[in-house]
């Protein structure tokens, strides 16, 4: 039965508008038309110019017959066309599919077919891979290909810079399609909606206390969870997108110095690049730069190194299915007086829910009840709220499994502390079961990272005839180190129970994904042949 406040108080255009990040660029161009929006080499574009180009792109797509629900794929580095794609494609009502530029032709072919892309914009750098992918496609559907240099400018030049785009009729409409980096079988297509994209962008701003006109350096690939929604967040603050084609220490440091960069994001390897860069290269870096790290928890050495640079590091956690970061390790002033080891322990936690996420809890997947907040009881991290995908494209079974019980199941095993902060113990598939005892690979990795010679580390299960599985450590050493396996094992013995100490140590460069995450699936293939050592 309707209450008194429901009578004659309907929704209409005067009192309701769909939430969409497209409104962010519209406002930036209206309020700050002459402020710089994009920097790339010698190129400078204002927000008015960038907005006009996005509208031209939307118009050109519309003229090409694309509209609501059509997929437009892009295979681009962090260059201006990638920024424009995040606005121009959804302005046409279409759905942006930003392809991972590190994938092979077979994976790209699958995504183009599965997502039913009708047009793809390709940077010349990735043309050879795209050519192979096009030849491998199973679909006979027509797919128009536009070269991001030779053809892109001509394509958008035919569009109208005053194109009268519309907000989506429903904020639940799809805005982007992102594929998971699935380790088995085909990747799953994660569908984002306008509401979630806008809300996560706003949460990014709130978590960082991001002021007006930040200068944001694009070290994080925009194809990765749509750059964690930062293309939209930067528009909301009328900031500067400093584009970066290659993620290298010299290029990052030069850009920070030249453009007064205030914010950037990346996996631990990106921040480690700066910490471990030669001192002469780091001379003149401005203090106060805000950095966001996700992936593996930042070890004490990285936190200490960032502090020496004068950078402020924020640890966040999330997955493709929750638009990138959806929790943050919110800091407290009282932590500042603690020693580096304790600060590292506190900052290594995945933290608490983002501002506009409804809930993030550690839940027993069997009972679907929250575990005790004692920092010891293990459960699975689950999310619910606005910052969660619509579901997996053309995969109702996987969608139903992911949302079972009204929560999104991450597959990450964790504990929750009395203060509500979450800490991952492991991925369910990464737990090592040795003689019936569970070993957290992350716990062993944390100890390895405490050794000053260790640059990167990953621990996986090694089959063992007696124990079933034992820990195998893959370690990347800092330049010039002569650390031996025996010395590293001795270090581990000081901090771990005997059954948790690695029974094999392999030195060498670790395989990493395009976003800097260590590829444990590749290491598992090698673990079986790793030579055991006497521990």
């Amino acid at each position: 039965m309707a209450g008194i406040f429901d009578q004659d108080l309907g929704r209409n255009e005067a009192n309701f508008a769909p939430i969409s990040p497209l409104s962010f660029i519209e406002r930036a161009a209206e309020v700050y038309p002459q402020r710089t929006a994009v920097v790339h080499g010698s190129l400078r574009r204002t927000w008015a110019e960038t907005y006009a180009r996005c509208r031209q792109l939307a118009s050109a797509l519309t003229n090409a017959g694309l509209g609501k629900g059509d997929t437009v794929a892009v295979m681009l580095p962090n260059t201006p066309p990638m920024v424009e794609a995040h606005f121009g494609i959804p302005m046409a009502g279409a759905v942006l599919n930003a392809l991972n530029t590190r994938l092979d032709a077979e994976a790209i072919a699958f995504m183009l077919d599965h997502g039913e892309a009708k047009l793809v914009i390709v940077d010349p750098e990735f043309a050879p891979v795209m050519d192979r992918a096009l030849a491998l496609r199973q679909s006979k559907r027509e797919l128009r290909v536009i070269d991001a240099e030779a053809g892109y400018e001509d394509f958008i030049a035919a569009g109208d810079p005053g194109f009268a785009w519309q907000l989506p009729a429903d904020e639940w409409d799809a805005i982007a399609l992102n594929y998971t980096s699935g380790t088995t079988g085909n990747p799953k297509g994660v569908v984002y909606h306008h509401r979630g994209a806008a809300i996560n962008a706003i949460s990014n701003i709130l978590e960082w206390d991001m002021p007006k006109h930040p200068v944001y350096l694009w070290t994080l690939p925009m194809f990765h969870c749509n750059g964690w929604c930062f293309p939209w967040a930067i528009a909301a603050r009328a900031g500067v997108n400093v584009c970066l084609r290659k993620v290298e220490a010299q290029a990052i440091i030069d850009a920070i110095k030249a453009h007064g960069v205030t914010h950037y994001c990346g996996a631990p390897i990106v921040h480690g690049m700066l910490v471990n860069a030669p001192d002469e290269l780091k001379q003149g870096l401005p203090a106060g730069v805000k950095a966001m790290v996700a992936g593996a928890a930042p070890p004490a050495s990285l936190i200490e190194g960032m502090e020496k640079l004068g950078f402020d590091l924020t640890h966040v956690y999330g997955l493709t299915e929750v638009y990138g970061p959806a929790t943050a390790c919110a800091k407290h002033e009282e932590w500042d007086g603690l020693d580096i080891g304790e600060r590292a322990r506190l900052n290594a936690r995945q933290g608490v829910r983002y501002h506009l996420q409804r809930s993030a809890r550690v839940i027993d997947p069997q009972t679907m009840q929250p575990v005790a907040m004692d920092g010891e009881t293990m459960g699975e991290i689950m999310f619910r709220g606005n910052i969660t995908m619509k579901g997996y494209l053309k995969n109702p079974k996987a969608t139903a499994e992911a949302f079972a019980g009204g929560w999104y199941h991450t597959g990450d095993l964790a504990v929750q502390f009395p203060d509500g902060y979450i800490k991952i113990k492991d991925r369910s598939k990464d737990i090592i079961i040795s003689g019936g005892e569970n070993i957290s690979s992350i716990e062993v990795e944390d100890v390895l990272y405490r050794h000053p010679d260790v640059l990167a580390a990953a621990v996986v299960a090694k089959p063992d005839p007696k124990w079933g599985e034992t820990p195998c450590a893959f370690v990347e050493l800092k330049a010039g180190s002569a650390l031996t396996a025996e010395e590293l094992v001795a270090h581990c013995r000081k901090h771990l129970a005997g059954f948790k100490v690695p029974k094999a140590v392999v030195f060498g460069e670790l395989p990493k994904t395009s976003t800097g995450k260590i590829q444990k699936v590749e290491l598992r293939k090698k673990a079986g042949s790793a030579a055991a050592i006497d521990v």
Side-chain angles (χ1 to χ4, degrees):
M1 183 177 177
I4 61 170
F5 295 105
D6 297 315
Q7 297 173 10
D8 304 318
L9 297 176
R11 182 184 298 180
N12 59 70
E13 290 186 6
N15 65 15
F16 177 85
I19 295 174
S20 169
L22 301 183
S23 62
F24 299 162
I25 190 171
E26 180 183 45
R27 183 180 185 275
E30 287 177 357
V31 181
Y32 303 106
Q34 299 310 313
R35 290 203 71 99
T36 301
V38 174
V39 170
H40 185 49
S42 61
L43 175 71
R44 302 290 185 276
R45 287 201 181 109
T46 65
W47 278 108
E49 291 168 336
T50 301
Y51 181 44
R53 287 177 61 84
C54 293
R55 293 166 83 179
Q56 280 185 286
L57 173 57
S59 175
L61 291 170
T62 301
N63 293 340
L66 284 88
K68 182 177 178 180
D70 290 330
T71 304
V72 177
V74 299
M75 197 164 183
L76 302 168
N78 287 347
T79 51
M82 187 60 137
V83 176
E84 294 164 7
H86 278 77
F87 298 93
I89 291 170
M91 279 177 179
V95 178
L96 167 63
N97 175 208
L99 298 166
N100 185 329
T101 59
R102 298 290 181 84
L103 294 178
D104 59 27
E106 288 78 9
I108 296 297
F110 168 80
M111 293 171 184
L112 293 174
D113 283 348
H114 185 263
E116 300 184 19
K118 293 187 175 179
L119 182 144
V120 59
I121 302 169
V122 186
D123 189 272
E125 181 180 349
F126 311 118
V129 175
M130 182 56 69
D131 288 343
R132 292 195 294 274
L134 294 173
L136 291 170
R137 289 179 64 221
Q138 300 297 308
S139 172
K140 302 303 180 186
R141 187 187 314 103
E142 182 182 356
L143 175 57
R144 182 173 178 182
V145 181
I146 294 176
D147 184 294
E149 289 185 2
Y152 179 72
E153 290 300 324
D154 289 339
F155 180 70
I156 68 167
D160 178 7
F163 178 67
W165 63 276
Q166 301 293 320
L167 285 172
D170 187 341
E171 58 194 19
W172 180 248
D173 284 353
I175 188 172
L177 171 65
N178 292 297
Y179 282 90
T180 62
S181 54
T183 54
T184 58
N186 287 322
K188 295 191 287 287
V190 176
V191 182
Y192 290 177
H193 46 75
H194 283 254
R195 178 181 179 83
I199 281 177
N200 205 37
I202 294 168
S203 289
N204 283 333
I205 293 166
L206 292 171
E207 192 53 55
W208 247 350
D209 294 323
M210 186 178 273
K212 292 177 183 174
H213 320 308
V215 181
Y216 183 89
L217 178 62
W218 275 109
T219 47
L220 178 77
M222 273 185 256
F223 65 67
H224 184 49
C225 308
N226 295 108
W228 297 352
C229 297
F230 273 100
W232 300 311
I234 301 307
R237 293 273 73 190
V240 182
N241 292 278
V242 180
C243 294
L244 192 66
R245 179 178 281 270
K246 298 289 185 185
V247 180
E248 299 166 337
Q250 180 82 56
I252 293 171
I253 291 170
D254 288 349
I256 292 173
K257 292 178 183 177
H259 306 298
V261 168
T262 59
H263 297 76
Y264 75 94
C265 298
I269 188 173
V270 175
H271 308 289
M273 229 185 258
L274 302 184
V275 169
N276 296 303
D279 288 340
E280 60 270 20
L281 198 62
K282 294 183 284 190
Q283 293 298 317
L285 271 175
V289 176
K290 289 183 177 289
M292 195 173 273
V293 61
S301 58
L302 179 60
I303 293 173
E304 192 169 25
M306 294 295 279
E307 289 178 356
K308 286 180 180 176
L309 288 177
F311 286 16
D312 180 12
L313 188 66
T314 298
H315 180 207
V316 296
Y317 158 78
L319 306 92
T320 304
E321 289 85 345
V322 288
Y323 295 73
T327 71
C329 191
K331 298 176 186 176
H332 295 270
E333 290 180 0
E334 54 267 30
W335 295 1
D336 295 343
L338 302 173
D339 64 62
I340 183 64
E342 183 62 9
R343 284 205 313 280
R345 185 187 71 78
L346 293 170
N347 283 312
R349 298 182 296 176
Q350 279 60 44
V352 293
R353 64 186 168 103
Y354 248 29
H355 287 75
L356 298 177
Q357 181 67 297
R358 180 68 187 91
S359 187
R361 286 300 308 268
V362 177
I363 292 176
D364 183 324
Q366 301 304 316
T367 65
M368 290 305 294
Q369 295 300 310
V371 302
M373 288 190 184
D374 56 11
E376 296 181 3
T377 306
M378 193 100 75
E380 182 179 353
I381 301 176
M382 299 190 192
F383 288 99
R384 65 167 27 151
N386 294 301
I387 311 174
T388 309
M389 65 173 178
K390 291 185 71 161
Y392 296 117
L393 183 67
K394 301 178 184 176
N395 199 335
K397 181 176 182 290
T399 300
E401 290 172 353
F403 290 149
W407 290 83
Y408 167 63
H409 297 239
T410 66
D412 286 328
L413 304 180
V415 297
Q416 200 155 12
F417 289 85
D419 60 3
Y421 281 58
I422 291 168
K423 179 172 177 58
I424 286 181
K425 288 299 184 180
D426 228 324
R427 289 289 292 174
S428 55
K429 64 176 180 289
D430 291 339
I431 286 287
I432 301 164
I433 304 174
S434 185
E437 297 284 350
N438 286 355
I439 302 171
S440 164
S441 64
I442 289 178
E443 180 184 2
V444 183
E445 289 162 5
D446 282 346
V447 170
L448 291 169
Y449 271 114
R450 289 185 207 173
H451 195 288
D453 284 5
V454 172
L455 181 65
V459 174
V460 299
K462 172 180 169 60
D464 186 273
K466 180 178 180 180
W467 302 107
E469 295 177 339
T470 56
C472 177
F474 289 83
V475 178
E476 193 171 324
L477 296 175
K478 292 181 180 177
S481 171
L483 183 69
T484 67
E486 289 73 19
E487 289 169 338
L488 190 56
V489 166
H491 161 79
C492 290
R493 277 205 207 96
K494 297 176 184 177
H495 304 283
L496 293 168
F499 73 96
K500 296 181 180 180
V501 173
K503 304 301 187 289
V505 177
V506 180
F507 292 118
E509 185 176 354
L510 303 185
K512 302 175 185 74
T513 69
S514 54
T515 56
K517 293 180 182 177
I518 296 169
Q519 293 180 305
K520 285 194 172 182
V521 66
E522 296 300 322
L523 298 180
R524 289 190 193 97
K525 297 175 185 176
K526 301 177 181 179
S529 59
I533 56 178
D534 184 12
V535 295

